[in-house]
Amino acid sequence: MGLTAGIVGLPNVGKSTLFNAITKAGALAANYPFATIDPNVGVVEVPDERLDKLTELVQPKKTVSTIFEFTDIAGIVKGASRGEGLGNKFLSHIREVDAIVQVVRAFDDDNVTHIDETIDPIRDIETINLELIFADIEVIEKRIPKIEKKAVLNVDQESVFEYKTLKWILGTLMDNKPIRTLKFNENELALIKNFNFLTQKTMLYVANISEDEIADFDNNDYVKKIKEFAAKEGSDVVVISAKIEAELGELEDDEKEMFLEELGIVETGLEKLIKRSYKLLGLETYFTAGPQEVRAWTFKKGMKAPKCAGIIHSDFEKGFIRAETIAYDDYIKYNGELGARDAGKSRSEGKEYIVKDGDVLLFRFNV
């Protein structure tokens, strides 16, 4: 399972520049609204030093990283939920992603126009968030009349439950609060899953600052405001310079290290973005390692071994017998599978085993 994220933002906040930098997909970046007319999808490999070390140790024929899929969605403007600008066509693309990455302008530059003429990151965030809220309200208002009569007359309990839940959510949205601020039980989550609400999705704000502020971004007043806003709704903020990311995208690995060192930063914006997204979505990584292939697999924290096996192939889950398990640190320390087994660090885990981040697994199954 790869991670999918939709990159949204007002026109000219650096959204497509960031997308170009991290995917090298060449989306049109222009200094006017609606430069991106069709959604652009780019796939990047998730950087993981553990995968590199496993490859070095095992020397497989090939190495496969887990992936992060970005969809660059055209700049949303006020009124998008009612069809303004490029409107609902683009809101619909956001429904297909796991997380929303909202790029917010946190820099001053007279050469880059702003759709509202002045720089105000909180106003920009609220513009985007309101459009997402309006879109969710529309979904609920279309559904409620279809179940209202049955619910009011208490004809069946499913309608009563759905009506009550949707009215509760609607009240939250009408207060201009996203659905992700609510706490749901299992039954409520099962009910709303198919609605694919936009404001239920994990939101990660990306503060795009100028390149000369990247080493000392905590002093950026725009960044401070964005972080305060995000904290109130339980979201997170990653600070990047899209311009720097664009420059890094043109460099070889050894040149990147030198460039980052000169700037006084230890990791790229892409690396920060992926790590933070994984944490917010509760994602972790396990590995499979053998002479043919060393591979990273993304899974949901808390998943049991059979479900993780099913990520590779459904037959692995159906016929699951056990998972031969070695912790990553032990795998490296004892020089691979044989060494770890001789040291007593290889375990045979059953169906109830909860897979841990970094586990090196070999699934035994029979179909």
Side-chain angles (χ1 to χ4, degrees):
M1 54 182 292
L3 174 65
T4 61
I7 304 179
V8 303
L10 291 175
N12 301 333
V13 297
K15 181 176 57 64
S16 290
T17 300
L18 174 63
F19 176 81
N20 290 349
I22 60 182
T23 67
K24 299 179 183 177
L28 175 64
N31 189 24
Y32 54 87
F34 318 130
T36 312
I37 300 191
D38 291 312
N40 293 271
V41 177
V43 176
V44 294
E45 294 182 345
V46 174
D48 195 322
E49 290 182 359
R50 298 173 299 179
L51 187 65
D52 297 335
K53 289 183 179 179
L54 286 171
T55 298
E56 187 178 328
L57 181 61
V58 177
Q59 295 290 307
K61 289 183 179 178
K62 68 174 180 176
T63 299
V64 182
S65 302
T66 189
I67 61 170
F68 194 147
E69 184 178 289
F70 288 97
T71 299
D72 179 30
I73 295 160
I76 296 173
V77 296
K78 193 176 293 183
S81 61
R82 300 187 305 275
E84 296 293 327
L86 294 169
N88 285 320
K89 178 181 176 183
F90 292 94
L91 292 177
S92 68
H93 294 301
I94 308 173
R95 297 195 188 279
E96 309 305 317
V97 302
D98 299 313
I100 298 174
V101 174
Q102 184 175 162
V103 182
V104 187
R105 180 169 170 173
F107 65 89
D108 294 306
D109 187 339
D110 293 338
N111 294 318
V112 181
T113 62
H114 189 289
I115 197 168
D116 288 321
E117 297 183 356
T118 58
I119 310 301
D120 183 346
I122 304 307
R123 176 201 60 209
D124 293 354
I125 288 173
E126 289 177 340
T127 295
I128 296 290
N129 287 357
L130 276 174
E131 293 308 315
L132 303 183
I133 284 172
F134 291 153
D136 282 347
I137 288 174
E138 183 180 2
V139 170
I140 294 177
E141 288 183 337
K142 284 182 178 177
R143 176 60 181 167
I144 282 180
K146 296 177 181 178
I147 59 170
E148 188 168 22
K149 190 172 182 180
K150 284 184 179 180
V152 172
L153 295 176
N154 204 19
V155 172
D156 70 82
Q157 290 307 302
E158 287 185 8
S159 295
V160 171
F161 176 64
E162 182 178 356
Y163 181 77
K164 181 181 177 182
T165 303
L166 291 181
K167 290 289 282 187
W168 170 48
I169 294 172
L170 182 60
T172 299
L173 292 169
M174 296 299 283
D175 284 339
N176 293 337
K177 295 177 182 176
I179 295 172
R180 61 181 168 274
T181 60
L182 298 174
K183 302 293 183 185
F184 297 101
N185 61 36
E186 287 185 13
N187 291 333
E188 290 162 345
L189 283 173
L191 169 70
I192 66 175
K193 181 179 180 180
N194 292 332
F195 287 98
N196 228 351
F197 289 122
L198 299 179
T199 66
Q200 186 187 0
K201 296 181 185 296
T202 297
M203 176 72 77
L204 180 62
Y205 295 103
V206 172
N208 182 19
I209 64 173
S210 63
E211 57 184 329
D212 57 356
E213 291 184 287
I214 194 66
D216 192 28
F217 60 76
D218 284 328
N219 289 323
N220 181 303
D221 289 335
Y222 296 140
V223 170
K224 292 176 184 176
K225 289 178 181 178
I226 295 168
K227 286 186 173 182
E228 287 173 8
F229 181 94
K232 290 176 184 176
E233 64 170 42
S235 296
D236 210 343
V237 179
V238 171
V239 181
I240 65 146
S241 166
K243 191 173 181 181
I244 287 176
E245 295 302 312
E247 292 175 19
L248 285 168
E250 301 299 322
L251 301 177
E252 299 296 330
D253 288 344
D254 55 342
E255 294 175 315
K256 282 183 185 178
E257 289 182 18
M258 291 176 58
F259 187 39
L260 291 172
E261 191 175 326
E262 287 175 10
L263 293 169
I265 53 180
V266 295
E267 59 183 350
T268 68
L270 173 60
E271 290 169 338
K272 289 195 291 183
L273 184 59
I274 291 175
K275 287 178 182 177
R276 209 68 60 86
S277 298
Y278 265 59
K279 182 179 178 182
L280 286 172
L281 289 167
L283 299 177
E284 295 182 328
T285 303
Y286 75 81
F287 303 96
T288 52
Q292 295 300 316
E293 177 184 273
V294 167
R295 185 165 185 158
W297 304 87
T298 301
F299 68 100
K300 273 274 190 184
K301 185 176 182 179
M303 281 176 68
K304 293 180 180 178
K307 281 288 183 187
C308 284
I311 293 170
I312 299 176
H313 196 285
S314 59
D315 285 348
F316 283 32
E317 181 178 358
K318 290 175 186 175
F320 180 88
I321 300 173
R322 65 183 183 275
E324 305 295 344
T325 310
I326 303 171
Y328 167 78
D329 288 339
D330 290 333
Y331 198 98
I332 298 299
K333 181 178 180 180
Y334 295 103
N335 203 37
E337 181 181 344
L338 292 178
R341 189 182 300 157
D342 291 342
K345 297 298 182 180
S346 177
R347 313 183 309 276
S348 183
E349 302 286 1
K351 292 182 178 180
E352 296 304 309
Y353 176 65
I354 297 174
V355 174
K356 296 179 177 61
D357 184 50
D359 277 350
V360 182
L361 301 174
L362 173 62
F363 294 109
R364 302 293 186 185
F365 70 102
N366 182 29
V367 177

